[in-house]
mmCIF file with all atom_site columns, all heavy atoms in Angstrom:
data_model
loop_
_atom_site.group_PDB
_atom_site.id
_atom_site.type_symbol
_atom_site.label_atom_id
_atom_site.label_alt_id
_atom_site.label_comp_id
_atom_site.label_asym_id
_atom_site.label_entity_id
_atom_site.label_seq_id
_atom_site.pdbx_PDB_ins_code
_atom_site.Cartn_x
_atom_site.Cartn_y
_atom_site.Cartn_z
_atom_site.occupancy
_atom_site.B_iso_or_equiv
_atom_site.pdbx_formal_charge
_atom_site.auth_seq_id
_atom_site.auth_comp_id
_atom_site.auth_asym_id
_atom_site.auth_atom_id
_atom_site.pdbx_PDB_model_num
ATOM 1   N N   . ALA A 1 1  ? -244.132 -126.992 18.718 1.00 0.00 ? 1  ALA A N   1
ATOM 2   C CA  . ALA A 1 1  ? -244.966 -125.808 18.523 1.00 0.00 ? 1  ALA A CA  1
ATOM 3   C C   . ALA A 1 1  ? -244.471 -124.676 19.452 1.00 0.00 ? 1  ALA A C   1
ATOM 4   O O   . ALA A 1 1  ? -244.453 -123.511 19.026 1.00 0.00 ? 1  ALA A O   1
ATOM 5   C CB  . ALA A 1 1  ? -246.421 -126.123 18.799 1.00 0.00 ? 1  ALA A CB  1
ATOM 6   N N   . LEU A 1 2  ? -244.094 -125.009 20.663 1.00 0.00 ? 2  LEU A N   1
ATOM 7   C CA  . LEU A 1 2  ? -243.582 -123.998 21.573 1.00 0.00 ? 2  LEU A CA  1
ATOM 8   C C   . LEU A 1 2  ? -242.211 -123.466 21.125 1.00 0.00 ? 2  LEU A C   1
ATOM 9   O O   . LEU A 1 2  ? -241.967 -122.257 21.152 1.00 0.00 ? 2  LEU A O   1
ATOM 10  C CB  . LEU A 1 2  ? -243.450 -124.589 23.009 1.00 0.00 ? 2  LEU A CB  1
ATOM 11  C CG  . LEU A 1 2  ? -244.788 -124.908 23.681 1.00 0.00 ? 2  LEU A CG  1
ATOM 12  C CD1 . LEU A 1 2  ? -244.512 -125.830 24.902 1.00 0.00 ? 2  LEU A CD1 1
ATOM 13  C CD2 . LEU A 1 2  ? -245.511 -123.637 24.056 1.00 0.00 ? 2  LEU A CD2 1
ATOM 14  N N   . GLU A 1 3  ? -241.391 -124.393 20.676 1.00 0.00 ? 3  GLU A N   1
ATOM 15  C CA  . GLU A 1 3  ? -240.047 -124.013 20.185 1.00 0.00 ? 3  GLU A CA  1
ATOM 16  C C   . GLU A 1 3  ? -240.197 -123.124 18.907 1.00 0.00 ? 3  GLU A C   1
ATOM 17  O O   . GLU A 1 3  ? -239.450 -122.161 18.744 1.00 0.00 ? 3  GLU A O   1
ATOM 18  C CB  . GLU A 1 3  ? -239.272 -125.273 19.858 1.00 0.00 ? 3  GLU A CB  1
ATOM 19  C CG  . GLU A 1 3  ? -237.798 -125.064 19.967 1.00 0.00 ? 3  GLU A CG  1
ATOM 20  C CD  . GLU A 1 3  ? -237.032 -126.387 19.923 1.00 0.00 ? 3  GLU A CD  1
ATOM 21  O OE1 . GLU A 1 3  ? -237.282 -127.194 19.007 1.00 0.00 ? 3  GLU A OE1 1
ATOM 22  O OE2 . GLU A 1 3  ? -236.200 -126.622 20.810 1.00 0.00 ? 3  GLU A OE2 1
ATOM 23  N N   . ASP A 1 4  ? -241.157 -123.446 18.082 1.00 0.00 ? 4  ASP A N   1
ATOM 24  C CA  . ASP A 1 4  ? -241.365 -122.695 16.840 1.00 0.00 ? 4  ASP A CA  1
ATOM 25  C C   . ASP A 1 4  ? -241.698 -121.228 17.112 1.00 0.00 ? 4  ASP A C   1
ATOM 26  O O   . ASP A 1 4  ? -241.310 -120.356 16.343 1.00 0.00 ? 4  ASP A O   1
ATOM 27  C CB  . ASP A 1 4  ? -242.529 -123.358 16.058 1.00 0.00 ? 4  ASP A CB  1
ATOM 28  C CG  . ASP A 1 4  ? -242.788 -122.679 14.735 1.00 0.00 ? 4  ASP A CG  1
ATOM 29  O OD1 . ASP A 1 4  ? -241.828 -122.443 13.972 1.00 0.00 ? 4  ASP A OD1 1
ATOM 30  O OD2 . ASP A 1 4  ? -243.990 -122.435 14.460 1.00 0.00 ? 4  ASP A OD2 1
ATOM 31  N N   . LYS A 1 5  ? -242.375 -120.950 18.192 1.00 0.00 ? 5  LYS A N   1
ATOM 32  C CA  . LYS A 1 5  ? -242.719 -119.587 18.575 1.00 0.00 ? 5  LYS A CA  1
ATOM 33  C C   . LYS A 1 5  ? -241.784 -119.002 19.628 1.00 0.00 ? 5  LYS A C   1
ATOM 34  O O   . LYS A 1 5  ? -242.133 -118.042 20.314 1.00 0.00 ? 5  LYS A O   1
ATOM 35  C CB  . LYS A 1 5  ? -244.220 -119.494 19.081 1.00 0.00 ? 5  LYS A CB  1
ATOM 36  C CG  . LYS A 1 5  ? -245.235 -119.809 18.037 1.00 0.00 ? 5  LYS A CG  1
ATOM 37  C CD  . LYS A 1 5  ? -245.237 -118.743 16.988 1.00 0.00 ? 5  LYS A CD  1
ATOM 38  C CE  . LYS A 1 5  ? -246.300 -119.021 15.932 1.00 0.00 ? 5  LYS A CE  1
ATOM 39  N NZ  . LYS A 1 5  ? -246.269 -118.042 14.840 1.00 0.00 ? 5  LYS A NZ  1
ATOM 40  N N   . LYS A 1 6  ? -240.602 -119.600 19.744 1.00 0.00 ? 6  LYS A N   1
ATOM 41  C CA  . LYS A 1 6  ? -239.549 -119.080 20.605 1.00 0.00 ? 6  LYS A CA  1
ATOM 42  C C   . LYS A 1 6  ? -239.947 -119.082 22.069 1.00 0.00 ? 6  LYS A C   1
ATOM 43  O O   . LYS A 1 6  ? -239.667 -118.148 22.804 1.00 0.00 ? 6  LYS A O   1
ATOM 44  C CB  . LYS A 1 6  ? -239.139 -117.674 20.190 1.00 0.00 ? 6  LYS A CB  1
ATOM 45  C CG  . LYS A 1 6  ? -238.828 -117.513 18.711 1.00 0.00 ? 6  LYS A CG  1
ATOM 46  C CD  . LYS A 1 6  ? -237.538 -118.165 18.363 1.00 0.00 ? 6  LYS A CD  1
ATOM 47  C CE  . LYS A 1 6  ? -237.107 -117.838 16.918 1.00 0.00 ? 6  LYS A CE  1
ATOM 48  N NZ  . LYS A 1 6  ? -237.054 -118.922 16.039 1.00 0.00 ? 6  LYS A NZ  1
ATOM 49  N N   . GLY A 1 7  ? -240.577 -120.158 22.506 1.00 0.00 ? 7  GLY A N   1
ATOM 50  C CA  . GLY A 1 7  ? -240.859 -120.339 23.962 1.00 0.00 ? 7  GLY A CA  1
ATOM 51  C C   . GLY A 1 7  ? -239.558 -120.307 24.729 1.00 0.00 ? 7  GLY A C   1
ATOM 52  O O   . GLY A 1 7  ? -238.503 -120.760 24.297 1.00 0.00 ? 7  GLY A O   1
ATOM 53  N N   . VAL A 1 8  ? -239.614 -119.735 25.913 1.00 0.00 ? 8  VAL A N   1
ATOM 54  C CA  . VAL A 1 8  ? -238.447 -119.549 26.769 1.00 0.00 ? 8  VAL A CA  1
ATOM 55  C C   . VAL A 1 8  ? -238.295 -120.741 27.730 1.00 0.00 ? 8  VAL A C   1
ATOM 56  O O   . VAL A 1 8  ? -239.252 -121.106 28.408 1.00 0.00 ? 8  VAL A O   1
ATOM 57  C CB  . VAL A 1 8  ? -238.565 -118.237 27.564 1.00 0.00 ? 8  VAL A CB  1
ATOM 58  C CG1 . VAL A 1 8  ? -237.386 -118.060 28.503 1.00 0.00 ? 8  VAL A CG1 1
ATOM 59  C CG2 . VAL A 1 8  ? -238.680 -117.030 26.615 1.00 0.00 ? 8  VAL A CG2 1
ATOM 60  N N   . ASN A 1 9  ? -237.087 -121.313 27.780 1.00 0.00 ? 9  ASN A N   1
ATOM 61  C CA  . ASN A 1 9  ? -236.755 -122.349 28.745 1.00 0.00 ? 9  ASN A CA  1
ATOM 62  C C   . ASN A 1 9  ? -237.815 -123.425 28.823 1.00 0.00 ? 9  ASN A C   1
ATOM 63  O O   . ASN A 1 9  ? -238.393 -123.684 29.873 1.00 0.00 ? 9  ASN A O   1
ATOM 64  C CB  . ASN A 1 9  ? -236.516 -121.664 30.130 1.00 0.00 ? 9  ASN A CB  1
ATOM 65  C CG  . ASN A 1 9  ? -235.807 -122.554 31.086 1.00 0.00 ? 9  ASN A CG  1
ATOM 66  O OD1 . ASN A 1 9  ? -235.181 -123.563 30.721 1.00 0.00 ? 9  ASN A OD1 1
ATOM 67  N ND2 . ASN A 1 9  ? -235.881 -122.216 32.369 1.00 0.00 ? 9  ASN A ND2 1
ATOM 68  N N   . ILE A 1 10 ? -238.061 -124.125 27.743 1.00 0.00 ? 10 ILE A N   1
ATOM 69  C CA  . ILE A 1 10 ? -239.070 -125.168 27.660 1.00 0.00 ? 10 ILE A CA  1
ATOM 70  C C   . ILE A 1 10 ? -238.549 -126.427 28.349 1.00 0.00 ? 10 ILE A C   1
ATOM 71  O O   . ILE A 1 10 ? -237.468 -126.921 28.063 1.00 0.00 ? 10 ILE A O   1
ATOM 72  C CB  . ILE A 1 10 ? -239.397 -125.497 26.200 1.00 0.00 ? 10 ILE A CB  1
ATOM 73  C CG1 . ILE A 1 10 ? -239.827 -124.252 25.449 1.00 0.00 ? 10 ILE A CG1 1
ATOM 74  C CG2 . ILE A 1 10 ? -240.497 -126.546 26.148 1.00 0.00 ? 10 ILE A CG2 1
ATOM 75  C CD1 . ILE A 1 10 ? -239.873 -124.434 23.933 1.00 0.00 ? 10 ILE A CD1 1
ATOM 76  N N   . LYS A 1 11 ? -239.316 -126.882 29.302 1.00 0.00 ? 11 LYS A N   1
ATOM 77  C CA  . LYS A 1 11 ? -238.993 -128.112 30.062 1.00 0.00 ? 11 LYS A CA  1
ATOM 78  C C   . LYS A 1 11 ? -240.061 -129.169 29.896 1.00 0.00 ? 11 LYS A C   1
ATOM 79  O O   . LYS A 1 11 ? -241.262 -128.861 29.871 1.00 0.00 ? 11 LYS A O   1
ATOM 80  C CB  . LYS A 1 11 ? -238.852 -127.824 31.558 1.00 0.00 ? 11 LYS A CB  1
ATOM 81  C CG  . LYS A 1 11 ? -237.872 -126.727 31.914 1.00 0.00 ? 11 LYS A CG  1
ATOM 82  C CD  . LYS A 1 11 ? -236.490 -127.260 31.912 1.00 0.00 ? 11 LYS A CD  1
ATOM 83  C CE  . LYS A 1 11 ? -235.570 -126.158 32.386 1.00 0.00 ? 11 LYS A CE  1
ATOM 84  N NZ  . LYS A 1 11 ? -234.197 -126.458 32.315 1.00 0.00 ? 11 LYS A NZ  1
ATOM 85  N N   . VAL A 1 12 ? -239.620 -130.409 29.764 1.00 0.00 ? 12 VAL A N   1
ATOM 86  C CA  . VAL A 1 12 ? -240.572 -131.534 29.735 1.00 0.00 ? 12 VAL A CA  1
ATOM 87  C C   . VAL A 1 12 ? -240.268 -132.403 30.922 1.00 0.00 ? 12 VAL A C   1
ATOM 88  O O   . VAL A 1 12 ? -239.096 -132.841 31.121 1.00 0.00 ? 12 VAL A O   1
ATOM 89  C CB  . VAL A 1 12 ? -240.423 -132.355 28.404 1.00 0.00 ? 12 VAL A CB  1
ATOM 90  C CG1 . VAL A 1 12 ? -241.351 -133.565 28.454 1.00 0.00 ? 12 VAL A CG1 1
ATOM 91  C CG2 . VAL A 1 12 ? -240.687 -131.490 27.202 1.00 0.00 ? 12 VAL A CG2 1
ATOM 92  N N   . ILE A 1 13 ? -241.275 -132.689 31.723 1.00 0.00 ? 13 ILE A N   1
ATOM 93  C CA  . ILE A 1 13 ? -241.095 -133.491 32.923 1.00 0.00 ? 13 ILE A CA  1
ATOM 94  C C   . ILE A 1 13 ? -241.984 -134.726 32.805 1.00 0.00 ? 13 ILE A C   1
ATOM 95  O O   . ILE A 1 13 ? -243.215 -134.600 32.634 1.00 0.00 ? 13 ILE A O   1
ATOM 96  C CB  . ILE A 1 13 ? -241.447 -132.704 34.215 1.00 0.00 ? 13 ILE A CB  1
ATOM 97  C CG1 . ILE A 1 13 ? -240.601 -131.435 34.304 1.00 0.00 ? 13 ILE A CG1 1
ATOM 98  C CG2 . ILE A 1 13 ? -241.263 -133.610 35.448 1.00 0.00 ? 13 ILE A CG2 1
ATOM 99  C CD1 . ILE A 1 13 ? -241.044 -130.509 35.455 1.00 0.00 ? 13 ILE A CD1 1
ATOM 100 N N   . ASP A 1 14 ? -241.409 -135.911 32.896 1.00 0.00 ? 14 ASP A N   1
ATOM 101 C CA  . ASP A 1 14 ? -242.138 -137.156 32.935 1.00 0.00 ? 14 ASP A CA  1
ATOM 102 C C   . ASP A 1 14 ? -242.625 -137.388 34.364 1.00 0.00 ? 14 ASP A C   1
ATOM 103 O O   . ASP A 1 14 ? -241.816 -137.627 35.241 1.00 0.00 ? 14 ASP A O   1
ATOM 104 C CB  . ASP A 1 14 ? -241.249 -138.316 32.443 1.00 0.00 ? 14 ASP A CB  1
ATOM 105 C CG  . ASP A 1 14 ? -241.941 -139.663 32.411 1.00 0.00 ? 14 ASP A CG  1
ATOM 106 O OD1 . ASP A 1 14 ? -243.025 -139.799 33.037 1.00 0.00 ? 14 ASP A OD1 1
ATOM 107 O OD2 . ASP A 1 14 ? -241.398 -140.548 31.776 1.00 0.00 ? 14 ASP A OD2 1
ATOM 108 N N   . ILE A 1 15 ? -243.919 -137.290 34.529 1.00 0.00 ? 15 ILE A N   1
ATOM 109 C CA  . ILE A 1 15 ? -244.481 -137.496 35.887 1.00 0.00 ? 15 ILE A CA  1
ATOM 110 C C   . ILE A 1 15 ? -245.263 -138.794 36.025 1.00 0.00 ? 15 ILE A C   1
ATOM 111 O O   . ILE A 1 15 ? -245.947 -139.023 36.991 1.00 0.00 ? 15 ILE A O   1
ATOM 112 C CB  . ILE A 1 15 ? -245.375 -136.286 36.299 1.00 0.00 ? 15 ILE A CB  1
ATOM 113 C CG1 . ILE A 1 15 ? -246.568 -136.120 35.399 1.00 0.00 ? 15 ILE A CG1 1
ATOM 114 C CG2 . ILE A 1 15 ? -244.563 -134.982 36.381 1.00 0.00 ? 15 ILE A CG2 1
ATOM 115 C CD1 . ILE A 1 15 ? -247.622 -135.175 35.907 1.00 0.00 ? 15 ILE A CD1 1
ATOM 116 N N   . SER A 1 16 ? -245.154 -139.659 34.991 1.00 0.00 ? 16 SER A N   1
ATOM 117 C CA  . SER A 1 16 ? -245.980 -140.852 34.944 1.00 0.00 ? 16 SER A CA  1
ATOM 118 C C   . SER A 1 16 ? -245.737 -141.804 36.110 1.00 0.00 ? 16 SER A C   1
ATOM 119 O O   . SER A 1 16 ? -246.655 -142.520 36.542 1.00 0.00 ? 16 SER A O   1
ATOM 120 C CB  . SER A 1 16 ? -245.742 -141.591 33.641 1.00 0.00 ? 16 SER A CB  1
ATOM 121 O OG  . SER A 1 16 ? -244.428 -141.998 33.515 1.00 0.00 ? 16 SER A OG  1
ATOM 122 N N   . SER A 1 17 ? -244.537 -141.782 36.670 1.00 0.00 ? 17 SER A N   1
ATOM 123 C CA  . SER A 1 17 ? -244.208 -142.701 37.758 1.00 0.00 ? 17 SER A CA  1
ATOM 124 C C   . SER A 1 17 ? -244.557 -142.096 39.158 1.00 0.00 ? 17 SER A C   1
ATOM 125 O O   . SER A 1 17 ? -244.537 -142.861 40.142 1.00 0.00 ? 17 SER A O   1
ATOM 126 C CB  . SER A 1 17 ? -242.743 -143.094 37.700 1.00 0.00 ? 17 SER A CB  1
ATOM 127 O OG  . SER A 1 17 ? -241.958 -141.968 37.946 1.00 0.00 ? 17 SER A OG  1
ATOM 128 N N   . ILE A 1 18 ? -244.926 -140.813 39.203 1.00 0.00 ? 18 ILE A N   1
ATOM 129 C CA  . ILE A 1 18 ? -245.205 -140.227 40.499 1.00 0.00 ? 18 ILE A CA  1
ATOM 130 C C   . ILE A 1 18 ? -246.613 -139.625 40.610 1.00 0.00 ? 18 ILE A C   1
ATOM 131 O O   . ILE A 1 18 ? -246.991 -139.173 41.686 1.00 0.00 ? 18 ILE A O   1
ATOM 132 C CB  . ILE A 1 18 ? -244.174 -139.105 40.831 1.00 0.00 ? 18 ILE A CB  1
ATOM 133 C CG1 . ILE A 1 18 ? -244.214 -137.969 39.788 1.00 0.00 ? 18 ILE A CG1 1
ATOM 134 C CG2 . ILE A 1 18 ? -242.781 -139.682 40.974 1.00 0.00 ? 18 ILE A CG2 1
ATOM 135 C CD1 . ILE A 1 18 ? -243.431 -136.760 40.216 1.00 0.00 ? 18 ILE A CD1 1
ATOM 136 N N   . SER A 1 19 ? -247.378 -139.658 39.523 1.00 0.00 ? 19 SER A N   1
ATOM 137 C CA  . SER A 1 19 ? -248.695 -139.039 39.567 1.00 0.00 ? 19 SER A CA  1
ATOM 138 C C   . SER A 1 19 ? -249.645 -139.709 38.579 1.00 0.00 ? 19 SER A C   1
ATOM 139 O O   . SER A 1 19 ? -249.211 -140.200 37.517 1.00 0.00 ? 19 SER A O   1
ATOM 140 C CB  . SER A 1 19 ? -248.592 -137.552 39.236 1.00 0.00 ? 19 SER A CB  1
ATOM 141 O OG  . SER A 1 19 ? -249.896 -136.982 39.211 1.00 0.00 ? 19 SER A OG  1
ATOM 142 N N   . ILE A 1 20 ? -250.910 -139.715 38.902 1.00 0.00 ? 20 ILE A N   1
ATOM 143 C CA  . ILE A 1 20 ? -251.904 -140.203 37.968 1.00 0.00 ? 20 ILE A CA  1
ATOM 144 C C   . ILE A 1 20 ? -252.521 -139.054 37.158 1.00 0.00 ? 20 ILE A C   1
ATOM 145 O O   . ILE A 1 20 ? -253.355 -139.311 36.312 1.00 0.00 ? 20 ILE A O   1
ATOM 146 C CB  . ILE A 1 20 ? -253.028 -141.019 38.702 1.00 0.00 ? 20 ILE A CB  1
ATOM 147 C CG1 . ILE A 1 20 ? -253.738 -140.112 39.714 1.00 0.00 ? 20 ILE A CG1 1
ATOM 148 C CG2 . ILE A 1 20 ? -252.444 -142.239 39.343 1.00 0.00 ? 20 ILE A CG2 1
ATOM 149 C CD1 . ILE A 1 20 ? -254.979 -140.742 40.279 1.00 0.00 ? 20 ILE A CD1 1
ATOM 150 N N   . LEU A 1 21 ? -252.100 -137.856 37.410 1.00 0.00 ? 21 LEU A N   1
ATOM 151 C CA  . LEU A 1 21 ? -252.648 -136.675 36.695 1.00 0.00 ? 21 LEU A CA  1
ATOM 152 C C   . LEU A 1 21 ? -252.363 -136.763 35.187 1.00 0.00 ? 21 LEU A C   1
ATOM 153 O O   . LEU A 1 21 ? -253.253 -136.428 34.392 1.00 0.00 ? 21 LEU A O   1
ATOM 154 C CB  . LEU A 1 21 ? -252.047 -135.359 37.220 1.00 0.00 ? 21 LEU A CB  1
ATOM 155 C CG  . LEU A 1 21 ? -252.429 -134.921 38.599 1.00 0.00 ? 21 LEU A CG  1
ATOM 156 C CD1 . LEU A 1 21 ? -251.675 -133.652 38.957 1.00 0.00 ? 21 LEU A CD1 1
ATOM 157 C CD2 . LEU A 1 21 ? -253.950 -134.647 38.631 1.00 0.00 ? 21 LEU A CD2 1
ATOM 158 N N   . ALA A 1 22 ? -251.156 -137.112 34.838 1.00 0.00 ? 22 ALA A N   1
ATOM 159 C CA  . ALA A 1 22 ? -250.741 -137.110 33.433 1.00 0.00 ? 22 ALA A CA  1
ATOM 160 C C   . ALA A 1 22 ? -249.433 -137.878 33.307 1.00 0.00 ? 22 ALA A C   1
ATOM 161 O O   . ALA A 1 22 ? -248.857 -138.281 34.300 1.00 0.00 ? 22 ALA A O   1
ATOM 162 C CB  . ALA A 1 22 ? -250.554 -135.668 32.972 1.00 0.00 ? 22 ALA A CB  1
ATOM 163 N N   . ASP A 1 23 ? -249.004 -138.042 32.063 1.00 0.00 ? 23 ASP A N   1
ATOM 164 C CA  . ASP A 1 23 ? -247.717 -138.653 31.813 1.00 0.00 ? 23 ASP A CA  1
ATOM 165 C C   . ASP A 1 23 ? -246.617 -137.579 31.747 1.00 0.00 ? 23 ASP A C   1
ATOM 166 O O   . ASP A 1 23 ? -245.516 -137.797 32.232 1.00 0.00 ? 23 ASP A O   1
ATOM 167 C CB  . ASP A 1 23 ? -247.702 -139.402 30.487 1.00 0.00 ? 23 ASP A CB  1
ATOM 168 C CG  . ASP A 1 23 ? -248.604 -140.654 30.528 1.00 0.00 ? 23 ASP A CG  1
ATOM 169 O OD1 . ASP A 1 23 ? -248.845 -141.183 31.642 1.00 0.00 ? 23 ASP A OD1 1
ATOM 170 O OD2 . ASP A 1 23 ? -249.025 -141.114 29.451 1.00 0.00 ? 23 ASP A OD2 1
ATOM 171 N N   . TYR A 1 24 ? -246.958 -136.433 31.138 1.00 0.00 ? 24 TYR A N   1
ATOM 172 C CA  . TYR A 1 24 ? -245.971 -135.399 30.964 1.00 0.00 ? 24 TYR A CA  1
ATOM 173 C C   . TYR A 1 24 ? -246.508 -134.027 31.329 1.00 0.00 ? 24 TYR A C   1
ATOM 174 O O   . TYR A 1 24 ? -247.697 -133.738 31.044 1.00 0.00 ? 24 TYR A O   1
ATOM 175 C CB  . TYR A 1 24 ? -245.480 -135.326 29.494 1.00 0.00 ? 24 TYR A CB  1
ATOM 176 C CG  . TYR A 1 24 ? -244.765 -136.584 29.057 1.00 0.00 ? 24 TYR A CG  1
ATOM 177 C CD1 . TYR A 1 24 ? -245.468 -137.545 28.335 1.00 0.00 ? 24 TYR A CD1 1
ATOM 178 C CD2 . TYR A 1 24 ? -243.421 -136.794 29.348 1.00 0.00 ? 24 TYR A CD2 1
ATOM 179 C CE1 . TYR A 1 24 ? -244.813 -138.720 27.948 1.00 0.00 ? 24 TYR A CE1 1
ATOM 180 C CE2 . TYR A 1 24 ? -242.811 -137.972 28.929 1.00 0.00 ? 24 TYR A CE2 1
ATOM 181 C CZ  . TYR A 1 24 ? -243.504 -138.930 28.248 1.00 0.00 ? 24 TYR A CZ  1
ATOM 182 O OH  . TYR A 1 24 ? -242.880 -140.051 27.823 1.00 0.00 ? 24 TYR A OH  1
ATOM 183 N N   . PHE A 1 25 ? -245.671 -133.207 31.907 1.00 0.00 ? 25 PHE A N   1
ATOM 184 C CA  . PHE A 1 25 ? -245.914 -131.792 32.083 1.00 0.00 ? 25 PHE A CA  1
ATOM 185 C C   . PHE A 1 25 ? -244.876 -131.082 31.102 1.00 0.00 ? 25 PHE A C   1
ATOM 186 O O   . PHE A 1 25 ? -243.722 -131.464 31.042 1.00 0.00 ? 25 PHE A O   1
ATOM 187 C CB  . PHE A 1 25 ? -245.535 -131.292 33.447 1.00 0.00 ? 25 PHE A CB  1
ATOM 188 C CG  . PHE A 1 25 ? -246.629 -131.317 34.469 1.00 0.00 ? 25 PHE A CG  1
ATOM 189 C CD1 . PHE A 1 25 ? -247.880 -131.827 34.205 1.00 0.00 ? 25 PHE A CD1 1
ATOM 190 C CD2 . PHE A 1 25 ? -246.426 -130.819 35.735 1.00 0.00 ? 25 PHE A CD2 1
ATOM 191 C CE1 . PHE A 1 25 ? -248.900 -131.853 35.099 1.00 0.00 ? 25 PHE A CE1 1
ATOM 192 C CE2 . PHE A 1 25 ? -247.436 -130.801 36.698 1.00 0.00 ? 25 PHE A CE2 1
ATOM 193 C CZ  . PHE A 1 25 ? -248.660 -131.333 36.385 1.00 0.00 ? 25 PHE A CZ  1
ATOM 194 N N   . ILE A 1 26 ? -245.388 -130.124 30.375 1.00 0.00 ? 26 ILE A N   1
ATOM 195 C CA  . ILE A 1 26 ? -244.511 -129.243 29.608 1.00 0.00 ? 26 ILE A CA  1
ATOM 196 C C   . ILE A 1 26 ? -244.641 -127.861 30.208 1.00 0.00 ? 26 ILE A C   1
ATOM 197 O O   . ILE A 1 26 ? -245.746 -127.383 30.418 1.00 0.00 ? 26 ILE A O   1
ATOM 198 C CB  . ILE A 1 26 ? -244.915 -129.188 28.103 1.00 0.00 ? 26 ILE A CB  1
ATOM 199 C CG1 . ILE A 1 26 ? -244.898 -130.615 27.525 1.00 0.00 ? 26 ILE A CG1 1
ATOM 200 C CG2 . ILE A 1 26 ? -243.945 -128.279 27.350 1.00 0.00 ? 26 ILE A CG2 1
ATOM 201 C CD1 . ILE A 1 26 ? -245.431 -130.659 26.097 1.00 0.00 ? 26 ILE A CD1 1
ATOM 202 N N   . ILE A 1 27 ? -243.527 -127.253 30.534 1.00 0.00 ? 27 ILE A N   1
ATOM 203 C CA  . ILE A 1 27 ? -243.493 -125.915 31.116 1.00 0.00 ? 27 ILE A CA  1
ATOM 204 C C   . ILE A 1 27 ? -242.686 -124.997 30.224 1.00 0.00 ? 27 ILE A C   1
ATOM 205 O O   . ILE A 1 27 ? -241.554 -125.355 29.821 1.00 0.00 ? 27 ILE A O   1
ATOM 206 C CB  . ILE A 1 27 ? -242.877 -125.954 32.530 1.00 0.00 ? 27 ILE A CB  1
ATOM 207 C CG1 . ILE A 1 27 ? -243.635 -126.937 33.408 1.00 0.00 ? 27 ILE A CG1 1
ATOM 208 C CG2 . ILE A 1 27 ? -242.889 -124.528 33.163 1.00 0.00 ? 27 ILE A CG2 1
ATOM 209 C CD1 . ILE A 1 27 ? -242.954 -127.260 34.739 1.00 0.00 ? 27 ILE A CD1 1
#
């Protein structure tokens, strides 16, 4: 969805092994 609207420099970070907040951050 972000790519479809031409999001700039989209990053996906797997944080599942370092945090209980979430599995993934998308920036």
Side-chain angles (χ1 to χ4, degrees):
L2 292 165
E3 206 169 52
D4 183 48
K5 292 293 181 185
K6 309 289 188 241
V8 177
N9 196 16
I10 305 166
K11 303 281 185 187
V12 177
I13 303 172
D14 181 343
I15 62 166
S16 61
S17 64
I18 61 169
S19 177
I20 60 170
L21 289 176
D23 292 337
Y24 297 98
F25 271 4
I26 303 174
I27 304 168

